[in-house]
Amino acid sequence: MERISWTLFLLCLTYLEGSSQDFGQTQFICTSVPKDMDLCAATMQNSGPAEDLKTTVMQLRETVLQQKETIMNQKETIRELTSKLSRCESQAVLEPVAGGRRKEPGKNTMGDVSRGPTDTLAQLGQTLATLKQRLENLEQYSRNNGSVQANSLKDLLQNKIDDMEKQVLSRVNTLEESKPGQKNDTDQLNRVESTLTSLHQRINDLEKGSKSSRPLDKYQITFPLRTNYMYAKVKKSLPEMYAFSFCLWIKSNASPGVGTPFSYAVPGQANELVLIEWGNNPMEILINDKVAKLPFVINDGKWHHICITWTTRDGVWEAFQDGVLRGTGENLAPYHPIKPNGVLVLGQEQDTLGGGFDATQAFVGELANFNIWDRKLTAGEIYNLATCNNRAQAGNVLSWSESNIDVFGGATKWTFEPCRQLN
């Protein structure tokens, strides 16, 4: 029965990570070899499957190493992104380039501008003053309409505001007595801001009850904080215009600069028509990105009526403050008509059509009676508007009506009548 005698030889095919003599990482493969066959020849003859196995193992090892390297790279990328995100969240670094109307790419402009406790308290003080004035308006409305519920809620809100004032004053005293470098208690400031937000909401709810009975043009829009998400938007676009006049009531004491009362952007040109006071620069009007400096002085916390007229012929413009001509000029975007099909925004400067807001250029204050005409108004017509003469006309392109404007991000509408509630 025995034709061929077989002797089992132990062929050790070693696959090592390091030294070939390290048997701690060795595999043993047993192969049967005929008795009379040369051992080396048998080894070569049976090396096919072993070589395939070795190749497969090496490929797997290479794949694992590549995956490991990929994972390490991904971890490093995640760490870098996390670090950058932390830096962006901890400080909103907003640095303008030449002209002061553009953001540096990559800089964080989301949310409120970073500000210290002293700046925050100053803004809280302004907000408290705004809330007080709104309560006075509500009080006047409730007296005229005999609303018991409005009076009750008004008294409650007045008490809340008194408490908030005490907290702000206490915090101011603490800051004045603190030593340089001492850690500021931001939790208290956050609580104050949170309570103010709640007060804003409750006053808004109270004011909603009075909207149904007031005329559509007897209102103002308030932008209490400098953010990149608080704005108002006009529902319709502007037509093509070869001349225009725009007038509005404005009140602000923001510093530096009141920001952007309005901006009109069209496809391909974000600065088609912009009114802006940014940083320490004077107020400017931009038409097709061309600039003229205006002689306005309005950041005194009082109501002012401003008007600007312009014609495409020679780019002639005039600027009126409180019914008085304050300045004129020419060569402002001459022979460039204002383009149609754009987006008109109140309170923010647009870097893209309908967006790209920069918190440092946001308007802080109050606006009312924003009207636009497609012609140059006369000095007499502008004086009538500034003095609330009954012969004053509404804009034929845009008239100030609640039905024409929507508010977003915390901007609010409330009752206002020019010349009766000034300063």
Side-chain angles (χ1 to χ4, degrees):
M1 293 178 62
E2 258 184 341
R3 296 182 180 180
I4 301 175
S5 298
W6 294 86
T7 302
L8 295 176
F9 291 90
L10 184 64
L11 300 179
C12 300
L13 304 176
T14 309
Y15 302 90
L16 303 177
E17 294 289 334
S19 172
S20 61
Q21 295 182 3
D22 184 2
F23 288 99
Q25 300 182 14
T26 303
Q27 290 183 341
F28 298 93
I29 301 176
C30 297
T31 306
S32 60
V33 180
K35 182 177 180 180
D36 298 331
M37 181 174 290
D38 180 72
L39 183 59
C40 293
T43 302
M44 294 300 295
Q45 180 178 350
N46 291 278
S47 63
E51 287 296 325
D52 292 341
L53 180 60
K54 180 178 180 180
T55 301
T56 301
V57 171
M58 294 302 291
Q59 290 175 346
L60 289 174
R61 180 176 180 273
E62 183 178 356
T63 300
V64 170
L65 291 175
Q66 290 176 349
Q67 291 178 346
K68 182 179 179 181
E69 183 179 0
T70 300
I71 292 173
M72 293 300 294
N73 291 337
Q74 291 174 345
K75 286 183 177 180
E76 182 64 25
T77 301
I78 291 172
R79 279 195 295 269
E80 291 178 0
L81 291 175
T82 303
S83 176
K84 291 179 180 178
L85 181 59
S86 299
R87 289 196 298 270
C88 287
E89 290 177 344
S90 63
Q91 56 177 4
V93 184
L94 301 171
E95 300 179 356
V97 298
R101 290 181 294 276
R102 283 291 178 268
K103 303 184 291 294
E104 181 178 339
K107 297 298 184 182
N108 176 34
T109 62
M110 298 305 292
D112 295 348
V113 176
S114 294
R115 56 184 186 270
T118 303
D119 295 333
T120 302
L121 287 171
Q123 287 204 353
L124 290 177
Q126 296 173 13
T127 304
L128 284 171
T130 300
L131 289 173
K132 278 187 171 182
Q133 185 174 355
R134 294 171 72 180
L135 282 172
E136 290 173 2
N137 291 339
L138 290 173
E139 184 178 23
Q140 179 66 35
Y141 174 79
S142 63
R143 283 200 300 265
N144 295 337
N145 294 274
S147 172
V148 177
Q149 182 178 5
N151 280 326
S152 176
L153 184 52
K154 184 269 298 180
D155 292 338
L156 176 61
L157 292 174
Q158 183 64 64
N159 293 333
K160 289 279 188 179
I161 288 179
D162 291 340
D163 292 339
M164 294 299 298
E165 281 188 307
K166 293 177 182 178
Q167 291 185 44
V168 172
L169 291 174
S170 174
R171 185 60 183 147
V172 169
N173 293 332
T174 301
L175 286 173
E176 291 177 347
E177 295 172 359
S178 64
K179 296 180 180 179
Q182 183 175 352
K183 182 179 179 181
N184 295 315
D185 184 10
T186 57
D187 290 341
Q188 183 177 357
L189 293 175
N190 291 335
R191 288 195 296 270
V192 171
E193 288 191 307
S194 176
T195 305
L196 284 174
T197 301
S198 176
L199 285 174
H200 272 299
Q201 184 59 50
R202 299 191 68 177
I203 291 178
N204 290 339
D205 293 340
L206 179 60
E207 288 171 342
K208 287 178 181 178
S210 66
K211 286 182 180 179
S212 58
S213 59
R214 75 182 181 208
L216 291 178
D217 62 335
K218 306 299 183 185
Y219 77 102
Q220 68 181 58
I221 300 179
T222 299
F223 305 88
L225 298 174
R226 199 183 292 275
T227 73
N228 70 344
Y229 53 80
M230 190 178 295
Y231 67 101
K233 183 178 179 181
V234 178
K235 293 181 180 180
K236 65 178 183 178
S237 178
L238 301 181
E240 184 176 50
M241 296 187 295
Y242 292 84
F244 68 73
S245 300
F246 68 77
C247 300
L248 68 151
W249 287 96
I250 184 170
K251 179 181 180 181
S252 178
N253 59 359
S255 179
V258 303
T260 309
F262 77 88
S263 64
Y264 177 66
V266 297
Q269 179 53 271
N271 293 329
E272 182 68 7
L273 178 58
V274 182
L275 183 66
I276 183 171
E277 184 181 271
W278 190 87
N280 295 315
N281 300 313
M283 182 166 282
E284 299 173 337
I285 181 174
L286 285 74
I287 299 178
N288 192 32
D289 218 17
K290 306 302 185 295
V291 183
K293 297 185 183 301
L294 302 174
F296 294 149
V297 179
I298 59 174
N299 62 338
D300 55 3
K302 298 180 180 180
W303 280 104
H304 293 283
H305 186 266
I306 61 175
C307 283
I308 295 178
T309 69
W310 172 87
T311 61
T312 185
R313 183 179 178 83
D314 296 326
V316 176
W317 59 270
E318 296 176 335
F320 295 78
Q321 180 175 328
D322 300 324
V324 178
L325 179 64
R326 295 297 178 91
T328 63
E330 57 184 14
N331 292 323
L332 176 58
Y335 305 103
H336 171 83
I338 301 299
K339 296 179 180 178
N341 304 319
V343 177
L344 180 56
V345 169
L346 307 185
Q348 296 284 352
E349 194 267 348
Q350 304 173 65
D351 279 345
T352 60
L353 188 65
F357 303 150
D358 183 336
T360 64
Q361 298 173 334
F363 174 74
V364 179
E366 298 153 48
L367 300 176
N369 291 76
F370 180 46
N371 287 271
I372 300 178
W373 296 259
D374 59 1
R375 63 181 179 86
K376 177 182 176 180
L377 295 182
T378 66
E381 288 175 315
I382 292 174
Y383 183 79
N384 288 339
L385 289 164
T387 56
C388 302
N389 189 292
N390 56 14
R391 291 192 297 269
Q393 299 178 0
N396 66 331
V397 171
L398 174 67
S399 61
W400 185 248
S401 173
E402 287 197 67
S403 60
N404 291 336
I405 299 174
D406 292 327
V407 294
F408 303 91
T412 55
K413 297 178 181 179
W414 49 290
T415 302
F416 171 79
E417 290 191 51
C419 297
R420 291 187 180 181
Q421 298 174 228
L422 298 185
N423 308 323

